[in-house]
Amino acid sequence: QKEVEQNSGPLSVPEGAIASLNCTYSDRGSQSFFWYRQYSGKSPELIMFIYSNGDKEDGRFTAQLNKASQYVSLLIRDSQPSDSATYLCAVIQYSGTYKYIFGTGTRLKVLA
Amino acid sequence: DGGITQSPKYLFRKEGQNVTLSCEQNLNHDAMYWYRQDPGQGLRLIYYSQIVNDFQKGDIAEGYSVSREKKESFPLTVTSAQKNPTAFYLCASSTSGSGDTQYFGPGTRLTVL
């Protein structure tokens, strides 16, 4: 079992729709959770992070964390073609040192 | 203008050559990291450093070496011992090594000829 799992996609949504991206993790002790967006050929850029159970909203983006079920999701409202990218989920584990574990990413395509 | 810079953007290496990738940050971050990304795969940690003059191996350190002589700089050398070095290399930094947000440089794409 991979430590951080994401559906590779592509996830296709029409422009203006809500895109829902999911990520599950295996270590119940994971502490912090991040979503990065990566355009083709570019480096990842941080969208948002979440530490506590529940929802966190930032503009069109909402991160949702459920530690009991060990998943974190990212909702993108009013999706735009410019949102088309790969979205990476990252989780921090602590076992003596802090370690970032990245998922392989979900490719999102927003259709105009 | 604060940020992380990597150079060169593209690098071509012949078989048997060592090459060094540059990473510089002016964010006053203590921790710096090197990742490798292959097509369709996640980021894999090569080396990381939480403080000047100290660094640790990541998951795939074989065939790579680093140094951390200055807080701002964390160069990565890809040695001839790395058998499959063609990949996208990403440098990142964070305030500390204690689970803070990591920010990435623009990356270096290395191709072996």
Side-chain angles (χ1 to χ4, degrees):
Chain A
Q1 182 188 6
K2 291 183 180 178
E3 294 178 277
V4 176
E5 291 207 53
Q6 297 181 256
N7 188 319
S8 61
L11 172 67
S12 296
V13 300
E15 183 175 358
I18 296 175
S20 178
L21 305 163
N22 298 312
C23 171
T24 59
Y25 57 95
S26 60
D27 185 345
R28 189 169 289 277
S30 297
Q31 301 185 354
S32 307
F33 307 85
F34 302 82
W35 283 101
Y36 289 85
R37 177 176 62 199
Q38 186 175 25
Y39 292 112
S40 180
K42 304 295 184 181
S43 63
E45 55 181 325
L46 180 72
I47 296 176
M48 60 193 308
F49 56 84
I50 186 167
Y51 301 142
S52 304
N53 272 330
D55 294 0
K56 180 181 179 182
E57 187 174 318
D58 184 1
R60 296 187 296 113
F61 299 96
T62 298
Q64 299 177 317
L65 176 60
N66 185 323
K67 289 188 176 181
S69 300
Q70 295 176 235
Y71 80 80
V72 56
S73 61
L74 179 70
L75 301 179
I76 307 175
R77 291 181 298 281
D78 188 23
S79 295
Q80 301 298 309
S82 59
D83 294 324
S84 297
T86 296
Y87 289 79
L88 302 175
C89 171
V91 170
I92 292 181
Q93 297 175 355
Y94 180 76
S95 55
T97 60
Y98 290 92
K99 187 176 181 182
Y100 269 71
I101 309 294
F102 285 86
T104 55
T106 297
R107 185 173 159 218
L108 173 67
K109 296 177 69 173
V110 180
L111 307 172
Chain B
D1 193 18
I4 305 171
T5 58
Q6 292 185 242
S7 62
K9 187 174 181 180
Y10 299 97
L11 185 58
F12 298 91
R13 190 192 94 167
K14 294 181 180 178
E15 295 279 354
Q17 268 187 336
N18 292 354
V19 292
T20 297
L21 283 59
S22 170
C23 178
E24 304 275 335
Q25 54 95 3
N26 60 5
L27 301 169
N28 200 33
H29 285 173
D30 285 323
M32 297 185 74
Y33 311 81
W34 274 106
Y35 292 93
R36 168 179 173 147
Q37 188 176 38
D38 294 282
Q41 296 194 31
L43 303 178
R44 293 186 288 170
L45 183 64
I46 304 172
Y47 269 97
Y48 65 101
S49 169
Q50 295 182 306
I51 198 169
V52 175
N53 292 322
D54 187 45
F55 49 83
Q56 286 78 39
K57 293 181 179 180
D59 300 318
I60 56 165
E62 185 174 351
Y64 300 97
S65 65
V66 294
S67 63
R68 187 85 187 277
E69 298 176 1
K70 298 187 299 182
K71 187 175 184 177
E72 303 81 17
S73 179
F74 191 40
L76 173 74
T77 296
V78 184
T79 75
S80 57
Q82 171 49 239
K83 297 307 177 188
N84 186 23
T86 295
F88 190 39
Y89 290 85
L90 289 158
C91 178
S93 70
S94 62
T95 305
S96 72
S98 302
D100 301 309
T101 302
Q102 289 190 6
Y103 297 92
F104 288 86
T108 292
R109 191 165 299 278
L110 173 63
T111 302
V112 173
L113 300 175

